[in-house]
């Protein structure tokens, strides 16, 4: 095969003795040079982090490396890592990712896993946006999932870098064709053909662009040249006939299909195409001729779907119910996941009064086509016919439900006054064919994909698994490098990507959880820690980190359960007494907390944390004076200890001592300048002390860090309303109502804001809602 063809082929034709004819997709057959795994010895990959306090499982599983650049990049990364050049080492792993994602995307495209191809190639582009090859392959993936507009950008970028890129011009021409811009398609395809004159795929597609613009003579000239160069063969005549038919040149299409029949009467689908074109050209007047062609198709190719399917449709149209059963059953067998044969099969059974079989077929059609996406007429009609059949067998209530479903769906569907067969048989409705993909699969536009040989299919599956593992290992290694650079958030992202591709890596979930914890992404740490604990239930370290993660998100019940288990096995882990005791206090289990505090004191622990705990315990027992004394002791021991000033401020706030509370919160911010809760409380105190501007600034800082903080939106909105910023108040209070829809006070303030804005009706509604919610609150709290 000469050259490299890009994109979904617009024709697919094996032609003998023509080495340059590309009749398969570029990535349909991946060359052995690109994909074959080398037979060299396994290479054991081991990467040890210098941050042993964080990552405890650092041995990577061995895997085969092909004899290509992946091995070279890996060896270079290891060398850079040993030399301490972590940035250079990461660059090598990124190169592995680019190559891995690119090859995986190509394999997915060949496997018709187009969504997977899009995801892989989009990722490849994020790492390397300057590769024309990757950009074109991404455009191919977009093309296959029907995202033609998205395909334009990568193709435009590829051409900006390589203006003579014939493959990019070719793909851009196809994309513009599918977008309906046929002049642009003609221009791009013309440029591609000049750059690659021997590319028959480009020539065929250019002919389609001519036909869409009614330039029949130019298209015919191109196709005649193809026949001269490739030989007068049935496959080529069928493709040309399809091009003519799909662009509305039906007379020319009929002649091409007839010529194909003369050349090879048993060629797959040739009689089907001829029969279908008869119907499109002359409607019911050629029904008998179409029937004959479909019979020949099904006889010559009994396992061909379309010959059987359309023969069955013709019989249904002619009310030959018994004759319709055989071909429709064959069509159902050939494509069991297609709802269409079941729909027509149900009609035949219903007409023969075989209602149980009809019910079974209609239900299968519904199962395979549950909404309007596939064919709105079919969906509404199948429920109607199913309802009729159910009533006929005495299942009246079920039948009525189906009839109602049909009526409901019909009201949502497009208004269509003619049945599918009317559109199918009526020449005047040819333009409607694009609404029936099962009747018009645009086969003249995008060629069918040849079936892959079993050995190719197996090899592709093996290669996909290999590159998936390569990608997973590369992400994991980058994660380890990020840890060494103290970039824990970046490490967490890489471990997550590694888990998406290769989750079986030993220690990956543990490392991921720890990286999240070190990044203060405590909620994100829980899932990987949970998985790691499930895989290793005896691992106390995992149980400890998971307990601490729950503690940090204030799930004190789960935190205490896990930490108690750790301390039962390791009573010497004194650092865990503090979070466990505080968890108990938060749950109101003060006796248990007192016991833990006493253990800490008995062990000679006179740390600030112990006194913070004691302050919490005293406060929970309604002794704020002793609580403040303990918190002050903690501060005296360590003036920079977190939480001591915060808890002191909370106690003063509850006591109504706003000045003292404000002072303590200010002090806490000196220790923890980014603490959201402290900022919120200081803002609240500022509002209470009429320091409105300071309070507004603090609440905005809170919401910048935590946009879903409902109380902060409420306090900010209320303050803005008092300041006369009605628009800002409404914005904040509307967000507060979304976050706290059951809070009467929020709706009250929003009602006031609406009224201030002159939106009286909306304001009244909010005030009325506030009253109802307040009454509900009172009823729930009444004894």
């Amino acid at each position: 095969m000469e050259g490299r063809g890009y994109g979904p082929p617009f024709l697919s034709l094996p032609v003998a003795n023509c080495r340059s004819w590309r009749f398969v997709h570029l990535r349909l057959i991946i060359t052995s040079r690109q994909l074959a795994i080398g037979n060299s010895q396994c290479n054991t990959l081991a990467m040890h982090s210098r941050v042993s306090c964080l990552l405890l499982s650092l041995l990577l599983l061995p895997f085969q490396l092909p004899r290509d650049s992946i091995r070279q990049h890996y060896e270079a990364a290891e060398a850079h890592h040993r030399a301490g050049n972590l940035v250079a080492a990461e660059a090598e792993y990124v190169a592995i990712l680019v190559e891995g994602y690119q090859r995986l995307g190509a394999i997915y495209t060949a496997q018709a896993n187009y969504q997977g191809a899009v995801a892989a190639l989009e990722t490849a582009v994020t790492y390397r946006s300057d590769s024309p090859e990757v950009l074109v392959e991404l455009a191919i993936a977009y093309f296959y999932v029907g995202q033609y507009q998205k395909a334009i950008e990568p193709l435009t970028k590829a051409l900006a870098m390589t203006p003579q890129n014939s493959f990019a011009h070719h793909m851009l021409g196809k994309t513009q064709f599918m977008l309906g811009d046929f002049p642009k398609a003609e221009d791009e395809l013309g440029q591609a053909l000049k750059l690659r004159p021997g590319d028959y795929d480009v020539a065929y597609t250019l002919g389609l662009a001519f036909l869409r613009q009614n330039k029949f003579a130019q298209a015919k000239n191109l196709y005649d040249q193809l026949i001269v160069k490739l030989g007068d063969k049935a496959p080529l005549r069928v493709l040309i006939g399809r091009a003519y038919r799909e662009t509305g040149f039906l007379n020319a299409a009929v002649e091409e299909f007839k010529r194909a029949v003369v050349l090879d009467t048993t060629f797959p689908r040739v009689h089907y195409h001829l029969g279908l074109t008869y119907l499109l050209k002359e409607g019911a007047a050629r029904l008998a001729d179409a029937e004959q062609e479909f019979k020949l198709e099904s006889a010559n190719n009994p396992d061909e779907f379309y010959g059987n399917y359309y023969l069955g449709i013709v019989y249904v149209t002619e009310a030959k119910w018994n004759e319709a059963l055989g071909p429709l059953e064959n069509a159902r067998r050939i494509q069991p996941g297609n709802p269409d044969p079941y729909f027509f099969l149900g009609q035949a059974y219903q007409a023969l009064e075989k209602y149980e079989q009809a019910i079974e077929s209609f239900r299968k059609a519904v199962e395979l086509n549950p909404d309007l996406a596939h064919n709105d007429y079919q969906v509404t009609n199948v429920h109607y016919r199913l309802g009729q059949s159910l009533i006929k067998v005495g299942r009246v209530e079920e039948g009525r439900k189906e009839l109602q479903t049909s009526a409901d769906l019909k009201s949502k569907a497009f208004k269509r006054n003619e049945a599918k067969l009317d559109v199918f048989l009526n020449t005047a409705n040819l333009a409607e064919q694009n609404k029936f993909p099962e009747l018009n699969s645009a086969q003249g536009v995008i060629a069918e994909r040849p079936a892959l040989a079993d050995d190719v299919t197996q090899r592709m599956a093996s290669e996909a698994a290999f590159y998936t593992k390569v990608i997973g290992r590369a992400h994991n290694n980058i994660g380890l490098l990020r840890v060494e650079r103290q970039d824990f958030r970046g490490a967490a992202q890489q471990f997550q990507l590694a888990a998406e591709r290769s989750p079986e890596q030993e220690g990956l979930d543990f490392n991921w959880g720890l990286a999240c914890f070190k990044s203060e992404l405590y909620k994100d740490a829980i899932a990987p820690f949970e998985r790691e604990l499930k895989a290793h239930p005896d691992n106390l370290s995992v149980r400890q980190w998971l307990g601490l993660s729950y503690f940090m998100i204030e799930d004190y019940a789960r935190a205490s359960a896990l930490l108690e288990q750790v301390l039962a096995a390791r009573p010497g882990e004194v650092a865990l007494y503090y979070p466990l005791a505080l968890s108990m206090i938060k749950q109101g289990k003060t006796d248990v907390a007192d016991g833990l505090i006493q253990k800490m004191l008995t062990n000679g622990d006179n740390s600030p944390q112990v006194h913070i705990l004691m302050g919490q315990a005293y406060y929970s027992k309604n002794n704020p004076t002793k609580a403040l004394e303990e918190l002050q002791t903690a501060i005296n021991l360590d003036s920079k200890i977190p939480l001591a000033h915060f808890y002191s401020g909370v106690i003063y706030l509850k006591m109504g001592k706003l000045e003292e509370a404000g002072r303590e919160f200010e002090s806490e911010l000196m220790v923890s300048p980014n603490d959201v809760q402290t900022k919120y409380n200081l803002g609240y105190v500022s509002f209470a002390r009429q320091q409105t501007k300071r309070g507004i600034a603090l609440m905005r800082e809170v919401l910048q860090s935590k946009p879903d903080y409902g109380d902060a939106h409420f306090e900010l909105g209320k303050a803005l309303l008092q300041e006369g910023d009605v628009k800002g108040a409404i914005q904040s209070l509307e967000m507060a109502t979304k976050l706290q829809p059951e809070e009467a006070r929020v709706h009250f303030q929003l009602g006031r804001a609406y009224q201030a804005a002159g939106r009286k009706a909306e304001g009244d509604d909010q005030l009325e809602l506030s009253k109802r919610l307040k009454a509900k609150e009172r009823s729930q709290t009444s004894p």
Side-chain angles (χ1 to χ4, degrees):
M1 244 180 234
E2 293 178 359
R4 297 181 63 198
Y6 274 87
F10 277 59
L11 83 153
S12 174
L13 176 66
V15 179
N17 302 319
C18 183
R19 293 178 63 248
S20 64
W21 185 262
R22 292 186 317 281
F23 58 90
V24 292
H25 186 274
L26 165 69
R27 298 300 186 180
L28 202 54
I29 301 296
I30 307 295
T31 65
S32 59
R33 180 183 64 80
Q34 289 174 308
L35 290 183
I37 301 178
N39 295 320
S40 59
Q41 297 293 321
C42 294
N43 289 278
T44 303
L45 309 184
M47 186 172 200
H48 297 278
S49 170
R50 296 179 184 134
V51 191
S52 57
C53 63
L54 175 62
L55 300 176
L56 306 182
S57 177
L58 304 173
L59 183 64
L60 300 181
L61 295 178
F63 62 93
Q64 294 279 351
L65 288 173
R67 298 175 185 175
D68 60 9
S69 59
I70 289 180
R71 175 192 290 276
Q72 297 170 11
H73 286 305
Y74 171 74
E75 291 174 349
E78 283 289 271
H80 286 307
H81 184 242
R82 287 191 297 270
N85 191 342
L86 304 184
V87 174
E90 181 171 328
E92 296 296 334
Y93 285 121
V94 167
I96 291 175
L97 288 178
V98 172
E99 187 169 343
Y101 276 115
Q102 182 180 354
R103 293 185 178 184
L104 187 61
I107 294 168
Y108 283 157
T109 299
Q111 293 174 323
N113 177 8
Y114 303 124
Q115 292 292 352
V118 167
L121 292 166
E122 282 182 337
T123 306
V125 168
T126 63
Y127 286 108
R128 187 177 177 188
S129 61
D130 61 346
S131 168
E133 184 181 19
V134 177
L135 290 166
V136 173
E137 288 178 350
L138 175 59
I140 293 170
Y142 283 143
F143 187 100
Y144 268 121
V145 296
Q147 296 180 342
Y148 307 118
Q149 196 62 52
K150 289 188 73 172
I152 298 293
E153 182 181 353
L155 290 170
T156 303
K157 288 181 178 178
L159 285 170
M161 289 182 276
T162 53
Q164 300 302 305
N165 188 329
S166 61
F167 309 115
H169 282 295
H170 184 184
M171 196 63 217
L172 185 55
K174 291 181 178 181
T175 303
Q176 295 288 8
F177 183 96
M178 298 307 290
L179 287 169
D181 193 336
F182 305 118
K184 284 186 179 179
E186 177 187 336
D187 180 62
E188 293 295 336
L189 293 166
Q191 292 187 62
L193 195 59
K194 287 179 182 178
L195 292 165
R196 223 165 52 249
D199 193 316
Y200 307 118
D201 189 9
V202 176
Y204 179 82
T205 312
L206 179 57
L208 282 168
F210 285 145
L211 290 171
R212 286 295 188 188
Q213 299 175 84
N214 291 312
K215 298 179 180 180
F216 180 82
Q218 290 168 270
K220 189 176 186 305
N221 181 52
L222 266 181
Y223 292 156
D224 287 345
Q225 291 178 40
L226 286 180
I227 293 170
V228 171
K229 293 177 181 177
L230 301 175
D232 193 3
K233 301 177 184 300
L236 182 55
R237 290 287 184 175
V238 168
L239 284 167
I240 294 172
R242 284 161 49 185
Y244 288 144
R245 187 188 68 208
E246 301 302 332
T247 53
F249 295 93
L250 299 180
N251 288 328
V254 167
E255 293 306 313
E256 292 296 329
F257 291 135
K258 283 182 175 180
R259 179 61 184 164
V261 168
V262 171
L263 291 168
D264 185 353
T265 189
T266 63
F267 184 73
R269 297 193 185 181
V270 64
H271 290 286
Y272 148 70
H273 286 302
L274 181 55
L276 179 60
T277 309
Y278 281 149
L279 293 175
L280 291 172
K281 181 173 180 288
E282 300 179 54
R286 299 298 296 271
L287 200 58
D289 293 328
E291 177 183 335
Q292 183 60 31
E293 295 299 328
F294 295 147
K295 281 181 178 178
L296 288 170
E297 184 66 46
S298 60
N300 292 334
N301 301 287
D303 290 328
E304 169 59 46
F305 173 80
Y306 288 104
N308 286 286
Y309 175 60
Y310 282 104
L311 180 58
I313 289 180
V314 168
Y315 283 144
V316 168
T317 305
E318 297 174 324
K320 296 178 180 179
W321 309 114
N322 280 308
E323 290 90 334
L325 295 178
L328 289 172
E329 284 286 2
N330 286 337
R332 177 197 59 77
R333 173 183 55 80
I334 296 165
Q335 290 192 10
N338 189 334
D340 300 332
Y342 293 100
F343 174 66
F344 288 102
L345 194 57
Q347 290 186 52
Y349 280 128
Q350 188 179 45
L352 293 168
E353 299 183 0
K354 296 181 178 182
Y355 297 115
E356 292 295 345
Q357 292 97 319
I359 290 169
E360 182 181 353
S361 294
F362 288 139
R363 286 204 184 281
K364 190 66 177 178
V366 170
E367 176 188 334
L368 295 171
N369 186 19
D371 53 35
L372 302 179
H374 176 70
N375 184 323
D376 57 335
Y377 166 77
Q378 184 188 108
V379 174
T380 56
N381 200 10
V382 74
H383 283 287
Y384 181 77
R385 288 181 174 273
L386 177 56
Q388 287 180 320
S389 296
L390 287 166
I391 291 172
K392 287 288 186 181
V393 298
R395 295 155 66 177
V396 178
E397 188 58 33
E398 289 182 69
R400 286 175 177 169
K401 287 182 180 178
E402 292 296 334
L403 294 175
Q404 183 60 51
T405 300
S406 175
D408 293 342
L409 287 172
K410 194 170 185 178
S411 66
K412 298 176 184 177
F414 300 110
K415 293 182 178 180
R416 306 170 83 168
N417 298 320
E418 295 183 28
K420 176 194 292 187
L421 291 177
D422 293 331
V423 175
F424 172 61
L425 297 172
N426 191 339
T427 305
N429 286 332
L430 180 61
E432 291 289 308
Q433 291 296 312
N434 63 356
K435 295 184 180 179
F436 299 107
E438 72 279 11
L439 300 185
N440 174 17
S441 59
Q443 294 174 56
V445 178
I446 303 176
E448 306 98 46
R449 301 173 59 86
L452 299 178
D454 290 343
D455 62 330
V456 175
T457 300
Q458 292 173 3
R459 192 180 69 168
M460 283 188 176
S462 174
E463 300 302 337
F466 168 74
Y467 283 109
T468 297
K469 186 172 289 188
V470 165
I471 290 167
R473 298 297 193 265
H475 279 303
N476 187 56
N477 284 357
I478 293 174
L480 296 171
L481 292 173
R482 293 286 179 90
V483 167
E484 292 194 53
R485 293 161 58 187
Q486 302 292 297
D487 178 10
F488 298 115
R489 190 171 289 254
Q493 292 171 347
Q494 291 297 317
F495 290 139
Q496 179 178 353
L497 293 169
E500 291 173 0
R501 293 292 177 180
S502 187
E504 77 287 348
Q505 298 181 73
E506 184 65 28
L508 173 58
D509 277 323
F510 188 51
N511 291 343
W512 182 9
L514 284 169
C516 289
F517 192 95
K518 292 289 288 184
S519 304
E520 300 182 7
L521 301 171
Y522 306 114
K523 188 176 182 180
D524 294 340
I526 288 171
F529 279 143
E530 289 278 15
R531 287 193 298 271
E532 186 72 15
L533 186 59
K534 184 177 181 180
H536 304 285
D538 296 330
N539 190 325
L540 289 175
S541 294
V542 180
R543 198 175 296 275
Q544 172 180 323
W545 286 110
L546 180 57
L548 291 172
S549 298
Y550 277 124
F551 174 78
M552 296 306 293
I553 67 168
E554 301 180 7
D555 189 339
Y556 299 114
R558 284 192 175 94
S560 58
L562 288 161
L563 296 177
E564 279 185 309
Q565 293 167 5
V566 175
L567 281 173
R570 296 177 180 173
E573 293 282 354
V574 293
L576 299 183
Y577 282 95
Y578 174 81
L580 179 56
L582 188 54
S583 296
M584 293 301 182
I585 291 171
K586 293 294 186 181
Q587 296 175 82
K589 299 179 180 179
T590 54
D591 292 341
V592 178
D594 286 344
L596 291 166
I597 294 170
Q598 287 304 314
K599 285 184 180 180
M600 296 171 74
L601 292 171
T602 301
N603 291 331
D605 189 348
N606 189 38
S607 66
Q609 289 85 353
V610 172
H611 291 284
I612 291 174
L613 278 175
M614 293 176 69
Q616 290 266 59
Y618 279 123
Y619 184 70
S620 67
K621 297 174 183 177
N622 296 317
N623 192 338
T625 302
K626 290 290 291 180
L628 288 169
E629 289 177 4
E630 292 295 336
L631 292 168
Q632 187 58 50
T633 300
I635 293 168
N636 292 339
L637 290 171
D638 183 355
S639 61
K640 295 184 179 180
I641 184 71
L643 296 178
H645 286 292
F646 173 78
Y647 288 131
S648 298
V650 170
I651 293 172
Y652 281 127
L653 182 59
K654 293 291 181 66
M655 296 170 67
K657 296 183 177 182
L658 300 179
E659 184 176 351
E660 291 85 346
R663 184 174 61 247
E664 293 295 336
F665 291 135
E666 293 280 10
S667 298
E668 183 67 29
L669 284 180
M670 297 293 292
V671 176
S672 304
N674 297 318
D675 187 73
V676 171
Q677 197 62 47
T678 302
K679 285 184 181 180
Y680 171 80
N681 279 280
L682 181 57
Y684 183 90
V685 170
S686 298
F687 289 142
R689 299 179 66 192
Q690 304 301 313
Q691 298 171 349
T692 307
K693 289 185 179 180
R694 169 72 164 147
I696 289 173
L698 285 164
M699 288 301 173
R700 283 180 169 153
E701 288 182 28
V702 168
L703 291 171
Q704 188 173 4
S705 301
K706 189 174 174 57
D708 60 346
Y709 201 152
D711 285 337
H713 281 291
F714 170 74
E715 294 295 341
L716 177 59
K718 188 170 66 170
L720 290 174
L721 184 60
Q722 291 174 351
E723 290 290 287
D725 183 357
V726 177
K727 182 178 178 181
I730 289 174
Q731 184 178 2
S732 292
L733 291 168
E734 283 180 338
M735 181 59 69
T737 59
K738 290 179 182 178
L739 296 168
Q740 299 176 330
E742 299 299 314
E743 289 279 345
R745 59 180 186 143
V746 178
H747 292 283
F748 177 79
Q749 290 295 334
L750 180 57
R752 292 184 60 229
Y754 280 150
Q755 289 183 335
R759 297 159 63 177
K760 185 176 185 304
E762 293 173 274
D764 291 344
D765 289 343
Q766 289 294 319
L767 294 174
E768 180 59 32
L769 178 57
S770 174
K771 288 180 182 178
R772 291 200 302 270
L773 289 171
K774 194 171 292 184
K776 181 180 176 182
E777 292 170 6
R778 282 195 291 264
S779 66
Q780 290 174 344
T781 56
S782 299

